[in-house]
Structures are given as C-alpha cells and as structure tokens.
Amino acid sequence: MADNTPSKANATYTKVTWRLMPLLFLCYVASYLDRVNVGFAKLQMLNDLQFSETIYGLGAGIFFIGYFLFEIPSNIILHKVGARIWIARIMITWGIISAAMIFVTTPTTFYIMRFLLGAAEAGFFPGVILYLTYWFPSHRRGKIIAIFMTGVPIAGVIGGPLSGWILHSMSGVNGLAGWKWMFIVEAIPSFILGAVVIWYLQDRIRDAKWLSEEEKQILEADIKAEDHQKQTQSLGQLFVNPKVWLMAVIYFSFVMGLYGVGFWLPTIIKTTGVTDPLNIGLLTMIPYAVSAVAMVLIGRSADARRERRWHVAIPAFLGSVGLILSTVYDHNTLLAMSSLTLATAGIMTVLPLFWSLPTAFLSGAAAAAGIALINSLGNLAGFVSPFIIGWLKDTTHSTDIGMYVLAASLIVGGLLTLTVSKQLVNK
C-alpha cells in the first residue's frame, strides 16, 4: 500500500515537476519564439519586401488557420502514439519551416510559410496540456500550467534582446538581411530540443523508471480518482457540449489580447519614439519579465484557494485597463511601458489559469479532442487580432482603435468566466 500522506504526495509531485517541467518549459520558449519573432522581423522585413501593415497582419495571423485545421487531428494522434514521439516530430518540423522563412520574397510566399508553420506546430500546446493531465490532478495543475506558460513571457525576455541584437548587428553578414539571420538563429533550439524530447520524456506514469513503485501508485491513484468525476464523451457529443463552446469563446477573447501584444509590442514601443531595434528588444523584456513573476504567484494563489474564476477574471480586467492606458500615453515611453507591462502581465496571467477550467471536467479521449477543439477555436483569434490591428493601422495610421478592440475582448472574456459554475471548476 502506497504512503499517500500529504508530505509524501507533495514530495512525489515535486519530483515529477522537476523532472518534466524544465524541458517542457524550454520547448514552449522555443515554440513561442518561432511563432512571434515575425513581430521583430517586421521592423526590417516590411521595408525590404515593400509589405503593407495589412499584408503583415494577414501573414502573421494566417499561421492560425493552419493551426486550426490540424490541431484536433494532431492531439488525437498524440493521445494514441504518445507525447514523446509526437512532440519531437512537431518541434523538428516547425524548426525547419521557421528557418525557411528566409526564402519569403512576396506576400504569397509569406502567407504560405506562415500557414505551414501553423500546420507544423498544431498540437504542441494542447498536447502538452493533455500530457500534464496524465501526471497532475486538477488542484495541482494551476501552478504547473503557470510554470509551463511562463515560457511565453520568458520567450519575450530572451527573444526581445536576442532578436533586437541580431537585427542590429547581423544585417548584411554573408549578404543576408538581419531579419533572415534572426529566423535562422532562432530556429536552432527547436531542432536540439526535439531530439532531447525523444530521449528524455516518458509517455505515462507507469513508464517512468525514475519513479519508485510507491510513487507511481500515489500518482496513479490521484489521477484515477479524478477521472471518475469527469465526463466521458464521444467526439460527436463534444461538439454539441455547451460548456466546451463557452470555453472556446472565453479563450478566443483572451487570445485576442495575447497576440495583439505578441505581434505588435515592438511596433507599439517604436511609436513612443524608440527607433533602435536593440533598444526596442531590451524594452520588451520589462513587460514579459513582470508577467513571468505574476503568472507563478497568481497560479499558486489559485491552487492554494482552489478558486479559478476570479483568478482569471481580475487579471483580464487589469489587462484591459493596461491596453487602454497604453493608447493614452503612447507618446511617453515611461508611461506607455508601464501601461504595456500591466496589460501584458494581465493577459499572460489569464492564460494558464484558464486551462484549469476545461481540464476540470474533461478526461481521456474527450480531453484530447476537447482541449484541441477549445485551443484551435480560441486561437483563431490569433488570425483575427493581428489582421484587424494591421488593417486599422493602415486605415487610421494608429494602433489606438486596435487596442480598444483588444481591451473590450478581454472584458468580455472576464465576464464570461464569471458565468462558469463555481462547483464545476473550483476543485
């Protein structure tokens, strides 16, 4: 009989966390960096290729069409063949396509490469979220998913200065533009990490040779007990489940804010009067660094209190306020950066805690398809958001109205979160 006392269970979950999370975290850093570094490439690429803001916005967003089309099949395959092989396949494929962005010369090739990048990466994020449900019960996942998703702000902390330095220092090296060097250099970690995943990860608790039999029994008992309380559904039932669609709409609202900031933060900083790409890159560190701390602290608070709804809604409302203030102070670098830091921290904090909502009532194959469905529908906002902002910027010569749209979206998402049953998600 396993010793399932709180101290033994906590020690076991700490061991699992330190074994799995560093690698998954690094993979997400590489993923997000390859996804949004086009925001830095924009600082040079638009002039080199004579692209308009609308072309950029459409190309940045079309990534999510490929992502949408292939995400559910990808996550179902992962559930069947295992996370180790499938996550490695995803990472190596997206590394190749990200590096191949150097061959973009026309709007059409830009659209094609961004679509292919989305198709290649489809399934990575929901696959990891699904993978974590195999190891951690819901009342421990708020903090764990927050740790994983700090990969997004850390990608900003690392990628901002790195991208700025490459654009600043490597333009013309061996006849290549700085933005082309950026795509090449920042694709390399994906290849390396993909190989490490094959060697390092285990698909299930029972496969983990680094766990004792007692530790395996503790983990398996917790997961089994939780699965008994969840819904088992067919794929057809999933598509008509109103809870799943509510989650998709909430996530769509939050992703509008995420990629509004992710794809346009360098441009917004530039409008405050900062012109050197290296300085822009250094300034982007600030919102992302603060966000990383906020995500972990609020994730811990949500787990400790076993409360989800207000821990999602309040950061969403604060993020909305930050976006609005960033337009008010858009010609004052200090005040604009303070506002953007509040906005980014609010948006980033919302996302990991959101995933504690659907994973509280879905399990097994329903979780595989349900998480992918919610993520793919929600990530369509990644297409809508940059395209709307690009079109509005071309039309009005300002990002202000676009920021108001994103702020309103965050408010809607926060309000909808508060309509979710407390008994359903606060476990």
Side-chain angles (χ1 to χ4, degrees), residues 139 297-308 310-311 425-427:
H139 68 274
L297 291 179
I298 296 177
R300 286 179 177 173
S301 173
D303 278 356
R305 291 167 175 79
R306 298 205 179 190
E307 198 288 322
R308 309 295 173 190
W310 285 103
H311 280 81
V425 298
N426 291 347
K427 299 177 181 178

Side-chain angles (χ1 to χ4, degrees), residues 85-152:
I85 295 297
W86 200 245
I87 289 175
R89 192 285 304 165
I90 290 171
M91 295 191 67
I92 293 169
T93 306
W94 95 51
I96 293 170
I97 296 171
S98 184
M101 286 289 293
I102 66 171
F103 299 112
V104 168
T105 55
T106 65
T108 300
T109 55
F110 182 44
Y111 301 152
I112 290 171
M113 294 307 297
R114 290 291 296 175
F115 176 86
L116 291 176
L117 186 64
E121 193 182 323
F124 172 75
F125 176 81
V128 172
I129 298 299
L130 177 65
Y131 181 64
L132 294 176
T133 69
Y134 301 157
W135 297 83
F136 298 93
S138 62
H139 68 274
R140 294 182 183 269
R141 280 201 297 271
K143 181 177 70 175
I144 292 301
I145 295 175
I147 291 171
F148 171 63
M149 292 193 69
T150 53
V152 174

Side-chain angles (χ1 to χ4, degrees), residues 122-190:
F124 172 75
F125 176 81
V128 172
I129 298 299
L130 177 65
Y131 181 64
L132 294 176
T133 69
Y134 301 157
W135 297 83
F136 298 93
S138 62
H139 68 274
R140 294 182 183 269
R141 280 201 297 271
K143 181 177 70 175
I144 292 301
I145 295 175
I147 291 171
F148 171 63
M149 292 193 69
T150 53
V152 174
I154 295 303
V157 171
I158 297 170
L162 176 62
S163 298
W165 177 80
I166 294 171
L167 295 178
H168 177 86
S169 303
M170 297 191 69
S171 292
V173 174
N174 290 333
L176 292 179
W179 62 270
K180 293 187 176 183
W181 275 115
M182 188 199 70
F183 283 123
I184 293 170
V185 171
E186 293 181 0
I188 293 171
S190 297

Side-chain angles (χ1 to χ4, degrees), residues 316-330:
F317 298 149
L318 292 175
S320 176
V321 170
L323 288 176
I324 293 170
L325 290 178
S326 74
T327 67
V328 175
Y329 301 118
D330 61 354

Side-chain angles (χ1 to χ4, degrees), residues 41 48 51 55 74 89 92 94 147 196 214 248 329 339 423:
D48 286 357
F51 287 176
I55 289 172
S74 178
R89 192 285 304 165
I92 293 169
W94 95 51
I147 291 171
V196 173
E214 183 181 39
Y329 301 118
S339 302
Q423 288 72 29

Side-chain angles (χ1 to χ4, degrees), residues 312-352:
V312 172
I314 291 175
F317 298 149
L318 292 175
S320 176
V321 170
L323 288 176
I324 293 170
L325 290 178
S326 74
T327 67
V328 175
Y329 301 118
D330 61 354
H331 295 298
N332 183 311
T333 302
L334 176 61
L335 293 177
M337 286 302 305
S338 299
S339 302
L340 288 169
T341 298
L342 175 62
T344 307
I347 293 165
M348 295 292 177
T349 299
V350 158
L351 296 170

